[in-house]
Structures are given as C-alpha cells and as structure tokens.
Amino acid sequence: MIFRVIEKAELRSLFTMLSAANRVIGPVGVGLDRSGRQLYGFEEVHDFDRVALDYTMTSLSAKKYFLPYREIMATFTMDNKDWQKRIDYNIDAPFVFFGMHACDINALNRLDKVLMGSVYPMPYYAAKRKNAFIIGIGCEPQPNCFCRSMGTDTALHGFDMFITDIGDRYFIEIQSDTAFNFLKKIRTGEPVEADHLSFMKTGAGKNEKFAASVDTTDLTKILDMEFQSEVWKQWGDKCLGCGTCANVCPTCYCYSVEEEVSIDLTAAAKVKKLYSCNLIDFAVVAGGHNFRPERHSRLKYRYYHKHRGFVEAYEESLCVGCGRCGEACLADITVPEVIASVREGRKTDGQ
Amino acid sequence: MDNKLPFNDVIDQRHHRRSDLSSFEYTHKAEITSIHKLTEQENLYRIQIIDPAERERFEFRPGQFLMLELPGIGDAPFSISSPPSRKGDVELCIRKVGGLTSFLSRVERGTHVGIRGPFGTSFPMEKMYGQNIMLIAGGLGLAPLRTPISYVQENRSRFNNVDIIYGTKDPLQLLFTYQYDMWRADDMRLSIIVEKPDASWQGRTGMITRVIEEIFEERDDAFFRNTYAIVCGPPIMFKFVCSMLNQKDLPMQKMFVSLERRMHCGMGKCCRCNVGSTYTCLSGPVFDYWTVMNLKEAI
Amino acid sequence: MSDSPAKAYLGVPVRRPRVAFFELSSCEGCQLQILNNEASLLDFLSLVEVVRFREGMSGGSDEYEIAFVEGSVTRDDEVGRLQKIRETAKVLVAFGSCACFGGVNQLKNRFCLDWVKKEVYGDHPVETAEVRPLDAIVQVDLRIYGCPVKKEEVEKIVTHIAIGSDITYPRYPVCMECKANGNVCLYDLGEPCLGPVTRAGCDSWCPNNRAGCWGCRGPSDDMNILQLVDIMKRHGFSEETILDRLECFGGFSGHLEGLKK
C-alpha cells in the first residue's frame, strides 16, 4: 500500500476539486436530539464546511446510496397479451463518498460477497458500488460500537483512500489509481517514521475507548445449541416488529418485490423495496402459510443470518458492529445484550 | 484538468457475454401455448420460450425451478413438471392459491409471460443409475416429481426397480391421471392412496405411510441398501416418510426432498427463501434429507 | 361520462364496474382526495363507471356493484341507509378511517352522550348515538385506511379491482416507510409517535413533516402495543397523552384493555 501525509488544509482543496466535477456524499449534521446531542446523516454536500469530519455515527447507514430503499428494477410497456421489458441498473454517473467509517466500508465489503461475488452478481448494486469513489476516515468509538469484536474496526480494502487524523496532519492510505492521481493534484508528502508512530499511536488510543463488546467464541455453535432457548421469546416479547433494525443496518440487504400497474393500464413496473426479516409476512408463502409466525422466531432468524449463516458461508459475520440497530431500537434491543443473553441462557438486563 | 471520475460500466467490466448479463433480471419471453385443467384447483400450463435459440439453450435438470413473471402482477417460483429433454418448452402444474396464480387462471392461450431460470439444485439422477428408486409424492408434490418420473421413463433401462407412491386427500385431487397407464406400461409400479375415498373409489385408503409399510413387508433389507428415494410433498409428509425409510437403513443422503419457500429473486439475494440461514434457491430446492435434518426451521 | 373502449390486461378483459360513493357522518374529505388528482382523474374514470358521487356530480343511479362508503354511523337513519347500500352492492368498501374504525367521530364515545349533545348543540339538540364503524352494522368487503385516504393507494386498489388482481396492504408498521424516507425518529426529537404500531401505506406522511403518527390507519399486523406504551412512558409521556393518541381514530379500540384505568 502507498501512504502519504497531507497538511489538514489540503483536504479542503481535495474536496473542492472533487466536488467541482462530481456528486459528493458526506456526513453532515441533521439536527439535535431531545437531549441536545448532535444527530448525523449522509447527504449530498457542496460545501466543505458542511462536512462533519468528526461525526460520531449517522443514524442511517450509507446503504441507500448502494441499495436504495426503493428501486425500479424493470419497467414494462403493455400491449394486450404482449409486453416489452426494459431493465435499468439506475446509475448515471460515478460519485464521491467523502468520509466513511471503517465499519461502513467493511459493511460494503460484506455486501460485495453476496451481491457481487456469488453465482449471480447483482448489477443494480455492482453498478453503484463500482462507481463510488470512497474516502474513508478514522473515527472515535461510541458507546454502542462493537466493531472491534467483529474485526471491522479497520478497513483493509474496499475504499479508494483512507484518512486518519494524526494530530497536526492527515495520514492517508491509498488504494486506487484514481485516488493516487487525485492526490497528485494537491500538496502531499511522504510519511516519515514519526508519522508512522503517530498513526500507530492513534490506533492504539482508539482501541482503549471501546465500551461495548460481543464474545464471538463458538458463536455459530452456540446459536445452534440455543435455538430453542427461552431468551429468544423474551426478546420477542420486547420486539416491536417494526423493521427499524434492518433499515438502519449497513448490511441488511433482503428485499421485497412489488409489481405496479399504471392507472391507464399501459405500463407496469417491478419495484424492489428493502424489507426486513422482522416483519410479519417475511416468510409467508402463497396460500398463507407463515414459516415464522411469531416475533421471536423472526428476531432469532435475523441473528441467525448475521451471526451464523453468513459465517458459515463466508467465514466472517455479516454484522459489522456499528451499533446502529441498538441505537435506533425503541425497545432497547442491542446485539451485545442479545448475544450475551443467549450465551448465558437468560436475559441480562435484569428484567 | 478534468476531475470527473471515470465511469465504470458494470456490464462491460463484469459481464463479457450477454448470457452472463441475462442471469440477472433478464426474462425469456414465453407464450402460454396450452392450458389444461387437471382438477378444480390445478391447471397445467404449457409455456414455450418464443425465441427458438433461447428455447434450445434453456436446459434444466429434474427438480430445478423457474421464476414465472406476469408483468404488473408478480413473479414467483414454480418447479418444472415437464421432461428435461423438452428444454424451454415447459409445463408447469399450478394451483390457484395466491394473487399471481389466481390471475394466471384467468389468462388465455397466447398470452406472453416471462421466464427466468432455471434455478436451484436438482435430483442427482445419474447417481441413481443401476439402483432402485422410490418416487414418493403427497398432494401437489406430484408436480415436481413428474420431471424425475419422466426422466426415469426416458432412461428406464438405467434404473432397477421403480416405485411411484402417490397419496392425496381425496380422489378428486389426483393429478395427471391420464398418465398413470403409461407409467405402468414402462414398468414403473404405481401405488396410489387417498385419505378420504368417495363412493366410486376402489383403491387403497389411508395415509401414504401405509403404502410404504406394504413395501417394507414385501422387500428385504438388501433392497433398501440399493435404493434412492425422492420425496415431494408437505414437510410433515416427507418428515414421516423419510424417518420410516431411515429405519430400513436407507441413508439420509440417499433421500431427496424439495422445499418450498417464498422467493423474489431465485438468485440468493432477496433472502426470502432462507431456511435458518440457507438459501433455498441456491442450496436447494432439492436437499438430501441429512442436510434438511441439519437445517433449523426446515420441518 | 361515456363508455371508453373495452380494455384488456395481459389478454384478460378489464371490467369497468359501476361505482357509487356514499357518505355517512364524515367530512367527505376522503372523497375529495379522488378529485384531488386531475392528472389521473380521466384514467380513473375509464377504469370505473361512477354512477353516484356527490362531490363530483349531481343526480345518480342506484344500480352499482361497488359502493365506497365514507364516514361512520352516528344516527339511526344511517343504519337503514347502510343496510340498503349493502343489499345493492356486490362489494362494500369502508372508505377512510371513519368508515373503518369510527374515526375522529368516535372520540365522542369517550363521553356521556347527553353531555356531548349539550356541549355541541346547546339548546338545539339533534338525534345522535354512539359512533360505530361500518362493520358493526354490515359486512365490509374491503377497507381503505387513512384520514384522509391516500389517493395513490385508492388508485392502486381501483386498478387492481379493474384487472382482477389481488388487493394487498402493507402488513408492517409506518416505521418501515419512515426510515426509508430518511427521517429522524420522532422519539429522538422528544415527540410521541404511533408509527411503530400503525399500518403503513401512507408513506409516513406525518413523520415526513416532523409530526408524530396518530394511528389513523389502525394497527399493523402483529403489532406490539404493550411494548410501545411502555416505551412511551419511559420517554416521559403521560398516560393521558398516550391514550389521547391511541383513541384518536378508533383503530386501536380493541387493544386498549388494561391500558385504561
């Protein structure tokens, strides 16, 4: 890998250069919550001063820029018994993602495995993923973050360049030719030994700040053993079945397809909508049979997919430990607590 | 200097051939060439891919399924009921149970539909050469079983003893009645049983397990050591049947079942068909019974 | 309204059913929603033959197959009218929250009827009874939820009726649509919201405008209302605030036992 260091002011030049010719998505403040805490989201930005480089955690992940919540997969023109189908992968121009944390980059890497690496690559996703210029940025662990437990606290690949704040300057990892060429247009320097040490010190400092963790030892087996555990029912009683965990999750990719007919009956569309396995009708088949009729069986399935099935298939968890689901869940269901309760055979929150 | 990011055309980069591109969302346009009423609830649709070259390329194996799309109405998985030798001129046996199938029951011959696939795993017919085969179906399970039956029929000399065992609720629900004599003529023994006979019924009455008990009495243990079983039907049925067969030392890896789940993509993306966390569309729909035993939520 | 040429969809002939609109106790706002989309109004009228529609035409026929009935039943004469509509219509549609659940009207059921009459009509009392949704009187074949109904959903349902395909509703709650719209959760902003237990389909209309959901579309399937009430209490909302929300449109009336004192 090639490394560079830049003066902090140079980042503005990089942004200005990129945003002059491309659409740029980045973290921005979107208001304060009821206790005065800053909330963040990913939005299109035109002004470098709006980019919240020190953002904590966005409420929603970066997913919608790669897997839109609602996407038209195909349209039809209808002609009585005949029809024509048109397929559009819905990408018109490359875009810049300015400031993505390691967990979210790793989330894309995991999605790549399912959506690009399998027998049937999904062009809707690939078209957007391949056209995203991703600038990663270092972060401070938040109370709900457990990425370190999931091995996703650093990103090894899946980005174009990654920025780490090493005090007075930024340390930059370069992974793509495109990034290398852009960096030639601003003032950069070769890192010296002192920069390397600062980089390492930053990483070590970050590691000390994690508050939440998940013990993944033997987890796939434990989940199998505890399939009938009562704790699932207890969590199921709390679960609202609202699908919010899946919607804020950077790796939940499951979807539903709805067909729409235009009111003049001359056209139709096939629409993909991100769905959630916690929703009542996720596993309903024609005729009405529901393979997971109870809330707890659906909640359990979600954990099975993230922490067992995906591990079995790809030797790593689908959960990247970003902590968004726990943060967003009104019923306070968090991954560290659920996993811990399954390991211990009881709920741990004292209820 | 131009700071515009280069555009990566995903199709050029990742898919070099049109057939690769066609693997996602590409729909073969097909025509419904005949509709044959089998029972009050089930129709047999003959559906032919319109383009002759595409039709010829549509090769599938017994047990595989396709996604049938009616634009604006929906798309859903159906197991193919016709012989693989007929390629993209398929037959689908479809019960009127949901929105798509109800609409389908109202369309006429000549209507164009979309076909994606074929998808999924299949029954390993070649492994069964020289062996006895028990083809067991409950209810609508005869629809997916009809393809391995026709495969055995077309390659009858390659198989040893062939038993077809078929059970339904009542005689009115029996499917493909017009083919029974042909199957028998091809030296496949057909045993039919119904749960609730009507006045005219003269055959066996009871659960499908009764027929299997009869076979147990008549065959020795050596027979089952050289036997494969294909079981299609509701989970409760294949659970009973497979456990019975396993008592006769028929290894679970020599019994094959087909699972039914909701699907939107057929390509391991939408997650709707997951059993535990296994994709029915990629790892199934055909599973050996050992795998099914190890799948949470399968039965 | 002349007959348009016969249409077909995928070879299946499209029926053009005769449709009538009726109103019981209501604001007729749901019916206005239909007129509220000039762009698609003509297409709408080519799918159905409207034979009675007070908001859009005068006169009307009593020969119809589908009756859209807006409003709730609050007077005895409305019972008779509704029963007559039921006898004529092949399909009776409860149109909007008043028809489905009683709607805002049913708030009066909280109080003593005599007091209500005095409070509202003073010295000029009119006959009024306890508010009931349509299905308390007659069988309802189809429900279109919302206060008001969402015109896109009405058009979708009518399209499905015309081509004869299944009519489905979201079974999940409003949160799904709210998150997809990128909204900040109203609980984070300190606002009460019934989104987690209310049937989606409105495209999270109110939360999109930073207003908490009042549950006008009634409960979603398998909602967890006890848990939500618990959450609302933990967020510091009083029982009165919570009940005011849950009782507003009547959709949750069957689920409030144990919550009321």
Side-chain angles (χ1 to χ4, degrees):
Chain A
M1 199 184 290
I2 295 171
F3 304 104
R4 288 286 183 275
V5 283
I6 60 169
E7 294 298 326
K8 286 198 161 171
E10 283 299 300
L11 201 56
R12 179 184 293 273
S13 316
L14 182 70
F15 179 93
T16 309
M17 181 169 71
L18 286 168
S19 66
N22 304 283
R23 188 166 76 111
V24 179
I25 313 295
V28 297
V30 291
L32 302 177
D33 76 1
R34 64 186 195 282
S35 46
R37 196 179 49 136
Q38 179 68 51
L39 298 167
Y40 295 99
F42 290 119
E43 283 178 17
E44 187 164 348
V45 269
H46 304 278
D47 175 4
F48 182 70
D49 292 327
R50 257 203 95 204
V51 182
L53 291 172
D54 59 348
Y55 74 105
T56 52
M57 173 199 286
T58 56
S59 310
L60 293 166
S61 76
K63 175 164 76 174
K64 73 169 175 182
Y65 296 99
F66 302 88
L67 286 173
Y69 287 99
R70 183 181 187 279
E71 182 168 27
I72 295 174
M73 299 179 85
T75 51
F76 300 89
T77 46
M78 305 302 298
D79 182 13
N80 198 1
K81 287 182 177 179
D82 191 23
W83 42 265
Q84 298 302 326
K85 183 175 186 176
R86 264 188 310 276
I87 301 166
D88 185 350
Y89 299 135
N90 309 315
I91 182 87
D92 44 14
F95 63 101
V96 176
F97 213 110
F98 202 97
M100 195 185 275
H101 288 167
C103 57
D104 285 343
I105 294 171
N106 279 306
L108 291 174
N109 292 342
R110 313 252 152 135
L111 287 178
D112 290 350
K113 293 189 169 182
V114 194
L115 302 177
M116 302 208 305
S118 76
V119 198
Y120 303 102
M122 192 179 205
Y124 300 90
Y125 171 80
K128 299 168 191 67
R129 175 70 162 127
K130 289 266 159 194
N131 281 294
F133 180 82
I134 294 176
I135 303 176
I137 192 156
C139 55
E140 286 281 300
Q142 301 301 307
N144 271 332
C145 294
F146 56 97
C147 52
R148 191 157 163 76
S149 302
M150 311 314 291
T152 49
D153 50 332
T154 58
L156 302 178
H157 62 97
F159 55 86
D160 291 84
M161 52 188 276
F162 199 100
I163 300 169
T164 306
D165 188 339
I166 52 167
D168 56 341
R169 285 176 302 164
Y170 290 123
F171 188 89
I172 298 182
E173 302 160 55
I174 306 169
Q175 275 212 336
S176 76
D177 174 28
T178 317
F180 186 83
N181 281 317
F182 276 123
L183 286 169
K184 280 200 298 204
K185 299 175 190 176
I186 62 169
R187 277 175 295 168
T188 64
E190 295 273 347
V192 294
E193 192 54 29
D195 298 319
H196 296 168
L197 288 173
S198 302
F199 179 82
M200 287 181 243
K201 207 175 134 201
T202 308
K206 181 179 164 183
N207 286 347
E208 286 163 13
K209 289 176 190 153
F210 284 99
S213 69
V214 167
D215 183 359
T216 58
T217 321
D218 283 334
L219 189 55
T220 55
K221 293 168 217 171
I222 290 165
L223 284 171
D224 255 19
M225 291 173 210
E226 300 300 326
F227 195 77
Q228 303 296 350
S229 169
E230 277 297 307
V231 298
W232 293 118
K233 291 202 179 66
Q234 292 165 10
W235 290 113
D237 289 343
K238 289 190 90 177
C239 177
L240 291 163
C242 65
T244 291
C245 48
N247 276 326
V248 301
C249 176
T251 62
C252 271
Y253 57 89
C254 80
Y255 63 87
S256 196
V257 169
E258 285 172 26
E259 307 258 348
E260 294 174 356
V261 180
S262 71
I263 190 165
D264 63 1
L265 310 185
T266 60
K270 186 173 181 180
V271 183
K272 167 177 179 266
K273 285 183 175 175
L274 292 191
Y275 220 63
S276 162
C277 51
N278 282 325
L279 304 181
I280 172 91
D281 57 351
F282 185 82
V284 173
V285 289
H289 178 69
N290 191 349
F291 283 96
R292 295 184 208 106
E294 313 93 358
R295 270 195 300 274
H296 74 83
S297 61
R298 299 194 293 274
L299 179 135
K300 178 167 68 179
Y301 164 76
R302 185 160 186 275
Y303 280 83
Y304 257 71
H305 188 189
K306 295 272 182 210
H307 298 275
R308 187 190 177 286
F310 199 85
V311 184
E312 201 171 56
Y314 299 107
E315 297 185 354
E316 59 181 9
S317 165
L318 183 58
C319 173
V320 293
C322 72
R324 285 188 180 94
C325 55
E327 185 79 31
C329 181
L330 287 171
D332 294 332
I333 303 175
T334 71
V335 176
E337 280 185 85
V338 171
I339 301 280
S341 73
V342 173
R343 298 187 82 96
E344 292 170 27
R346 62 185 169 83
K347 263 183 72 186
T348 53
D349 61 358
Q351 282 184 21
Chain B
M1 228 176 178
D2 187 14
N3 291 324
K4 246 187 159 43
L5 285 162
F7 185 74
N8 294 311
D9 189 337
V10 65
I11 301 313
D12 286 350
Q13 286 210 337
R14 293 196 56 88
H15 306 272
H16 300 293
R17 292 175 294 134
R18 187 158 181 275
S19 56
D20 282 344
L21 163 65
S22 78
S23 63
F24 211 99
E25 208 43 52
Y26 180 78
T27 307
H28 299 289
K29 197 188 275 187
E31 182 176 328
I32 299 179
T33 53
S34 79
I35 302 168
H36 176 58
K37 187 173 172 179
L38 293 176
T39 71
E40 273 309 308
Q41 283 183 300
E42 285 102 8
N43 281 340
L44 185 69
Y45 297 86
R46 185 160 178 179
I47 298 173
Q48 195 177 63
I49 293 177
I50 292 169
D51 181 84
E54 281 186 16
R55 193 190 313 149
E56 195 54 32
R57 275 205 305 273
F58 193 85
E59 289 182 353
F60 67 92
R61 295 177 43 80
Q64 285 196 292
F65 68 95
L66 54 73
M67 297 295 293
L68 181 70
E69 176 162 39
L70 264 68
I73 307 294
D75 66 351
F78 294 98
S79 39
I80 306 170
S81 285
S82 47
S85 54
R86 288 235 306 261
K87 297 190 173 170
D89 182 5
V90 298
E91 282 174 329
L92 307 178
C93 172
I94 296 176
R95 178 180 285 178
K96 196 163 52 165
V97 281
L100 175 75
T101 50
S102 306
F103 191 88
L104 195 62
S105 71
R106 292 164 46 223
V107 304
E108 298 171 347
R109 219 154 49 98
T111 302
H112 290 174
V113 296
I115 284 178
R116 292 188 291 121
F119 296 119
T121 53
S122 57
F123 301 112
M125 303 309 292
E126 292 83 357
K127 271 194 190 171
M128 305 178 194
Y129 287 172
Q131 301 267 309
N132 306 310
I133 299 193
M134 296 174 79
L135 299 151
I136 307 168
L140 193 53
L142 193 64
L145 198 73
R146 190 173 172 241
T147 311
I149 291 176
S150 49
Y151 183 94
V152 172
Q153 209 177 359
E154 286 178 6
N155 301 277
R156 183 62 189 89
S157 62
R158 293 181 185 275
F159 300 92
N160 206 341
N161 221 298
V162 179
D163 270 296
I164 302 173
I165 301 151
Y166 177 36
T168 61
K169 272 247 157 56
D170 59 63
L172 288 176
Q173 291 184 10
L174 289 171
L175 299 167
F176 303 113
T177 46
Y178 55 93
Q179 290 199 295
Y180 298 167
D181 287 341
M182 283 185 284
W183 291 345
R184 290 191 176 109
D186 277 322
D187 189 26
M188 300 192 278
R189 189 171 66 169
L190 177 62
S191 313
I192 294 173
I193 189 160
V194 301
E195 267 176 63
K196 294 181 188 128
D198 57 17
S200 64
W201 181 249
Q202 303 197 325
R204 286 186 189 79
T205 303
M207 307 297 283
I208 201 159
T209 43
R210 211 195 106 189
V211 184
I212 295 168
E213 277 163 13
E214 282 175 24
I215 293 176
F216 280 1
E217 281 167 26
E218 121 197 54
R219 308 283 195 198
D220 58 11
D221 287 355
F223 175 85
F224 292 99
R225 279 198 290 275
N226 298 307
T227 296
Y228 274 87
I230 295 178
V231 190
C232 297
I236 186 78
M237 171 258 178
F238 68 64
K239 184 184 168 185
F240 273 107
V241 169
C242 292
S243 322
M244 276 181 85
L245 293 174
N246 193 228
Q247 286 165 20
K248 280 282 170 189
D249 285 343
L250 186 73
M252 285 187 272
Q253 287 183 322
K254 289 172 83 174
M255 302 177 211
F256 295 90
V257 301
S258 180
L259 299 189
E260 180 214 9
R261 287 296 185 277
R262 183 189 189 120
M263 286 176 199
H264 285 310
C265 66
M267 295 175 282
K269 301 291 174 278
C270 75
C271 290
R272 302 305 283 270
C273 68
N274 286 21
V275 181
S277 39
T278 301
Y279 286 94
T280 308
C281 63
L282 293 181
S283 306
V286 173
F287 292 94
D288 67 48
Y289 194 62
W290 167 247
T291 308
V292 171
M293 287 272 293
N294 282 282
L295 286 180
K296 300 289 178 197
E297 308 185 323
I299 307 173
Chain C
M1 281 167 218
S2 64
D3 281 349
S4 66
K7 282 184 175 180
Y9 191 82
L10 281 170
V12 176
V14 170
R15 297 171 54 246
R16 186 161 175 257
R18 289 168 69 85
V19 166
F21 287 85
F22 298 94
E23 51 289 317
L24 305 178
S25 296
S26 63
C27 68
E28 298 184 34
C30 288
Q31 289 177 72
L32 275 179
Q33 283 294 309
I34 292 196
L35 297 177
N36 206 1
N37 193 352
E38 289 86 356
S40 55
L41 191 58
L42 284 177
D43 288 320
F44 182 85
L45 294 173
S46 77
L47 287 183
V48 291
E49 187 185 346
V50 179
V51 299
R52 176 188 283 273
F53 188 19
R54 200 169 80 139
E55 293 287 343
M57 61 192 273
S58 49
S61 159
D62 279 324
E63 284 174 38
Y64 48 85
E65 296 164 72
I66 304 176
F68 286 81
V69 184
E70 181 179 350
S72 51
V73 179
T74 59
R75 292 195 316 264
D76 286 346
D77 65 296
E78 290 177 327
V79 174
R81 275 182 69 206
L82 181 59
Q83 281 165 340
K84 192 155 172 292
I85 295 167
R86 177 70 271 187
E87 280 166 28
T88 315
K90 283 201 196 104
V91 179
L92 190 147
V93 184
F95 193 53
S97 295
C98 292
C100 293
F101 313 119
V104 175
N105 296 341
Q106 55 79 48
L107 274 176
K108 106 176 153 184
N109 296 353
R110 278 177 148 192
F111 309 100
C112 161
L113 208 52
D114 288 333
W115 182 84
V116 170
K117 280 187 199 172
K118 183 123 187 54
E119 186 71 15
V120 178
Y121 299 106
D123 296 331
H124 310 279
V126 296
E127 188 231 323
T128 180
E130 193 188 25
V131 172
R132 285 175 291 174
L134 304 191
D135 65 5
I137 316 283
V138 295
Q139 186 202 316
V140 168
D141 304 308
L142 191 65
R143 289 173 178 79
I144 301 183
Y145 305 107
C147 180
V149 297
K150 197 167 166 59
K151 62 188 183 228
E152 291 85 353
E153 192 178 36
V154 178
E155 288 176 355
K156 185 177 158 189
I157 288 173
V158 168
T159 307
H160 283 223
I161 290 176
I163 62 176
S165 69
D166 256 20
I167 292 157
T168 53
Y169 312 94
R171 296 178 63 184
Y172 48 78
V174 175
C175 288
M176 277 299 284
E177 295 172 339
C178 191
K179 285 282 165 293
N181 285 326
N183 297 325
V184 173
C185 182
L186 283 152
Y187 283 94
D188 280 343
L189 301 176
E191 287 281 323
C193 178
L194 296 185
V197 291
T198 301
R199 186 183 302 281
C202 55
D203 198 29
S204 60
W205 201 340
C206 299
N208 294 351
N209 296 291
R210 297 225 164 182
C213 171
W214 283 79
C216 76
R217 298 171 62 85
S220 56
D221 289 8
D222 197 35
M223 49 132 201
N224 195 346
I225 193 168
L226 290 175
Q227 181 61 226
L228 185 71
V229 168
D230 231 40
I231 290 165
M232 290 175 95
K233 285 180 185 164
R234 266 189 279 137
H235 276 76
F237 301 117
S238 68
E239 281 184 28
E240 196 188 351
T241 306
I242 297 168
L243 267 182
D244 277 354
R245 287 240 162 192
L246 285 168
E247 287 190 326
C248 184
F249 288 95
F252 295 91
S253 62
H255 305 274
L256 299 179
E257 267 169 55
L259 300 176
K260 283 192 208 175
K261 274 187 187 154

